């Protein structure tokens, strides 16, 4: 078995594959890439912890389609991802089955939570990920994650660039940050459809959407924000802060600040934000359909 200092695991995937229930792995600093470093927990209740804290362990998907991290096999809260930076992940162009989750083409890139999984994700950074449809940073399909102190930054999608919450999912975000995520249509930071989200002490700043919901779009479901900050977001047509399609009581907020969110009739203002995000993230000139 691997693990001791004199016999390290050859990859992050290898560490998971040899794990036993409730194993706790401290991952030394480094940049990890390639298929063997994609992490699928596969039902294992294992803790993967960055030894030196946030940003010291980087999983770089290098723009190759497929999820960086997968919880899709009924993992519980004892399945923990702590202190990782996940970058440059891209959605797949075809439908796929990942564990117990059926993932439509173009959905998700950085982290997948599905198959009734309820993992714990904390102290992570999810940046520069791209989905052709929704959930570039985080995609939740019939999953129930708890996230804390996690940053979603400069991700890009058509809907829900930071995170896409779909199909009976439920998530808690505590002290999380969504910043400069860009959706070409709706939900710069979050897109919620038939799902429930509770946000506590979290910030949604400088996100943008080409049409509506510069910060958040809620199509069906429930959104609760408590002691949050929603500022400096931009939308091209409707609701630069929260765009609500459904009943008014689907959205509740308490002690939450909404300020300096702007609906602009100048399409170029939002398109430039999208193009800028793509320019910084991707070098292949991929067109999301949001700018000219």
């Amino acid at each position: 078995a691997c693990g001791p200092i004199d016999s390290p695991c050859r990859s992050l995937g290898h560490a998971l594959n040899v794990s036993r229930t409730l194993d706790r792995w401290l991952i030394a600093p480094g940049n990890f890439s390639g298929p063997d470093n994609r992490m699928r927990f596969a039902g294992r209740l294992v803790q993967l912890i960055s030894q030196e804290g946030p940003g010291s362990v980087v999983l770089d998907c290098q723009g190759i389609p497929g999820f960086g991290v997968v919880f899709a096999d009924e993992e519980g809260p004892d399945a923990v991802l702590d202190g990782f930076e996940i970058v440059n992940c891209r959605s797949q162009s075809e439908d796929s089955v990942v564990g117990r989750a059926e993932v439509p083409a173009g959905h998700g890139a950085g982290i997948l939570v599905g198959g009734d999984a309820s993992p714990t994700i904390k102290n992570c950074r999810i940046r520069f990920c791209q989905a052709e449809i929704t959930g570039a940073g985080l995609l939740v399909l019939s999953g129930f994650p708890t996230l804390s102190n996690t940053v979603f930054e400069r991700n890009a999608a058509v809907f829900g660039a930071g995170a896409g919450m779909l199909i009976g999912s439920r998530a808690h975000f505590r002290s999380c940050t969504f910043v400069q995520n860009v959706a070409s249509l709706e939900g710069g930071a979050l897109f919620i459809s038939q799902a429930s989200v509770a946000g506590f002490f979290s910030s949604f700043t400088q996100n943008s959407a080409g049409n509506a919901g510069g910060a958040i779009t809620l199509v069906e479901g429930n959104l609760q924000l408590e002691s949050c900050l929603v500022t400096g977001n931009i939308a091209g047509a409707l609701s630069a802060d929260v765009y609500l399609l459904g009943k008014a009581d689907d959205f509740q907020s308490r002690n939450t600040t909404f300020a300096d969110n702007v609906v602009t009739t100048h399409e170029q203002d939002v398109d430039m934000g999208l193009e800028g995000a793509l320019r910084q993230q991707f070098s292949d000139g991929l067109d999301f359909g949001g700018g000219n």
Side-chain angles (χ1 to χ4, degrees):
C2 64
I5 293 175
D6 59 351
S7 180
C9 295
R10 63 178 180 267
S11 66
L12 298 173
H14 185 204
L16 273 174
N17 289 338
V18 301
S19 293
R20 295 171 296 183
T21 298
L22 301 182
D23 273 355
R24 183 174 183 264
W25 292 89
L26 294 178
I27 309 301
N31 294 322
F32 298 84
S33 60
D36 290 343
N37 285 304
R38 307 282 179 118
M39 292 178 283
R40 179 178 168 187
F41 277 67
R44 301 178 183 91
L45 302 182
V46 175
Q47 298 181 42
L48 293 183
I49 302 170
S50 171
Q51 187 174 21
E52 295 190 9
S56 62
V57 176
V58 179
L59 172 59
D60 187 348
C61 296
Q62 298 181 314
I64 299 170
F67 291 99
V69 181
V70 173
F71 302 93
D73 296 276
E74 297 185 315
E75 296 89 352
D78 288 326
V80 177
L81 187 72
D82 185 350
F84 283 69
E85 182 163 340
I86 300 161
V87 299
N88 298 327
C89 301
R90 293 179 63 170
S91 60
Q92 299 184 103
S93 59
E94 298 181 352
D95 295 350
S96 61
V97 177
V98 184
R100 298 181 66 250
E102 297 182 5
V103 183
H107 285 60
I111 299 178
L112 168 65
V113 179
D116 295 322
S118 53
T120 301
I121 300 168
K122 56 186 178 180
N123 304 315
C124 290
R125 299 174 182 170
I126 306 159
R127 308 171 67 226
F128 305 121
C129 294
Q130 166 210 337
E132 294 178 6
I133 299 179
T134 190
L138 169 69
L139 176 68
V140 186
L141 289 166
S142 298
F144 315 101
T146 298
L147 299 99
S148 61
N149 298 305
T150 290
V151 176
F152 298 83
E153 181 182 10
R154 295 187 180 182
N155 301 291
V158 175
F159 302 94
M165 303 288 308
L166 308 175
I167 314 176
S169 296
R170 183 177 65 251
H172 286 78
F173 296 89
R174 180 173 291 274
S175 301
C176 291
T177 299
F178 292 80
V179 60
Q180 295 183 345
N181 300 286
V182 180
S184 60
L185 286 181
E186 295 183 8
L190 274 173
F191 183 83
I192 305 164
S193 178
Q194 302 178 51
S196 176
V197 170
F200 305 95
F201 306 101
S202 295
S203 65
F204 304 82
T205 60
Q206 299 178 28
N207 304 285
S208 59
N211 181 42
I216 302 170
T217 291
L218 174 61
V219 176
E220 247 182 86
N222 182 266
L223 171 64
Q224 176 186 354
L225 298 178
E226 184 169 338
S227 302
C228 291
L229 186 65
V230 184
T231 63
N233 301 286
I234 299 175
L238 299 165
S239 301
D241 43 23
V242 178
Y243 180 46
L244 175 62
L245 284 172
K247 303 186 296 293
D249 59 3
D250 288 344
F251 171 45
Q252 303 91 34
S253 67
R254 179 182 177 186
N255 298 327
T256 291
T257 299
F258 296 86
D260 302 321
N261 301 293
V262 177
V263 174
T264 176
T265 57
H266 300 288
E267 190 173 315
Q268 184 181 12
D269 290 348
V270 177
D271 288 345
M272 285 180 64
L274 174 63
E275 291 174 3
L278 294 176
R279 199 160 44 238
Q280 292 180 59
Q281 295 172 64
F282 317 114
S283 59
D284 58 3
L286 195 75
D287 180 17
F288 273 72
N292 298 310

